[in-house]
Amino acid sequence: MDWPPIRIKPSGKPLPTAPLGRSDELQVGDWAIAIGNAVGLDSTVTLGIISSLSRSAAEVGIPNKKVNFIQTDAAINPGNSGGPLLNEFGEVVGINTAIRANAAGIGFAIPIDTAEKATGTDLGRSREERLIS
């Protein structure tokens, strides 16, 4: 996966964070909220639903990757990549990643559970959350 995690050590006040959800609990039809800086416009928020789960990388148009994606109709535009895909509770369930160039209204996100496994981290989950999962 080409998604490099970074660690930030802020000075001063703590940075705001969003709670992590579980992408394996998503269902088709659940609400989806995509946040990013679409086409250079800061703090863009779009709303849609989860359209499909476990969409293969080949179906997304990235045949050399072994990742299954969440498909959503929440607009994911250039500049949204790397932004969070949230569920209806404001929990991060994915990382906005790709769109199909030959289609409109179809976006894809890496499931947050997959991102955690790929990075070998718990991406900010508490000890209790790690024990439950």
Side-chain angles (χ1 to χ4, degrees):
M1 195 160 51
D2 294 332
W3 177 70
I6 60 171
R7 182 172 306 274
I8 299 172
K9 294 183 179 182
S11 59
K13 64 180 183 176
L15 297 174
T17 60
L20 298 181
R22 306 267 324 161
S23 52
D24 63 357
E25 295 175 357
L26 289 173
Q27 296 180 17
V28 171
D30 284 352
W31 289 107
I33 304 159
I35 299 177
N37 294 320
V39 294
L41 301 171
D42 290 345
S43 305
T44 300
V45 178
T46 61
L47 178 67
I49 62 166
I50 302 297
S51 306
S52 182
L53 300 166
S54 299
R55 187 67 73 196
S56 74
E59 291 174 298
V60 172
I62 313 170
N64 59 342
K65 300 293 178 188
K66 296 184 186 222
V67 175
N68 287 323
F69 292 88
I70 299 166
Q71 180 181 324
T72 181
D73 67 351
I76 296 176
N77 297 299
N80 278 5
S81 293
L85 183 70
L86 308 174
N87 63 17
E88 65 268 29
F89 305 109
E91 298 168 331
V92 178
V93 293
I95 301 167
N96 300 328
T97 304
I99 58 172
R100 284 291 298 255
N102 61 347
I106 301 176
F108 303 95
I110 297 170
I112 198 67
D113 298 347
T114 300
E116 285 183 311
K117 288 176 190 169
T119 61
T121 66
D122 293 311
L123 296 178
R125 290 192 193 273
S126 70
R127 183 176 186 284
E128 293 78 20
E129 290 172 313
R130 288 191 301 270
L131 292 174
I132 292 170
S133 55

